């Protein structure tokens, strides 16, 4: 169910910055999303990126300054860092 809903979001390509904190996102949904991201090609087809899934409050707090104080990063349940 969540997989199809996420696929629709990806295809719609719209930035959503307001999420209901009462609706949890299961780890399987995030894991599947990261698996899809890993498969995304780049111009050289080398995919030299890494993804770091951050859930711990202390780690999210440590990354907050790197997000330039964006409000979306302040109250997120999960954070993904693309390197």
């Amino acid at each position: 169910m969540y997989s199809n809903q996420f696929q629709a979001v990806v295809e719609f390509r719209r930035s959503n910055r307001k999420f209901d904190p009462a609706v949890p996102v299961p780890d399987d949904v995030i894991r599947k999303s990261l698996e899809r991201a890993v498969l995304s090609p780049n111009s050289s087809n080398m995919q030299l990126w890494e993804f770091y899934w951050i859930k711990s409050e202390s780690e999210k707090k440590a990354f907050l300054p790197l997000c330039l104080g964006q409000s979306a990063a302040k109250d997120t349940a999960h954070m993904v860092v693309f390197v």
Side-chain angles (χ1 to χ4, degrees):
M1 177 173 101
Y2 289 111
S3 181
N4 291 336
Q5 291 171 341
F6 179 74
Q7 189 66 34
V9 169
V10 169
E11 291 172 1
F12 189 64
R13 294 183 184 188
R14 180 176 165 262
S15 176
N16 184 354
R17 306 225 177 217
K18 294 189 179 189
F19 299 94
D20 185 348
V23 178
V25 179
D27 286 357
D28 288 343
V29 171
I30 294 172
R31 190 172 294 108
K32 184 66 175 176
S33 298
L34 292 174
E35 288 171 3
R36 288 175 172 141
V38 167
L39 296 174
S40 299
N42 63 17
S43 62
S44 300
N45 205 28
M46 296 177 72
Q47 291 79 6
L48 297 174
W49 43 62
E50 298 175 21
F51 302 91
Y52 295 91
W53 177 13
I54 301 171
K55 295 193 293 184
S56 86
E57 291 300 322
S58 62
E59 287 183 358
K60 287 189 299 183
K61 188 175 181 180
F63 273 87
L64 189 56
L66 301 173
C67 297
L68 306 175
Q70 295 180 44
S71 60
K74 291 179 184 175
D75 58 1
T76 184
H78 304 268
M79 184 180 290
V80 178
V81 177
F82 297 79
V83 179

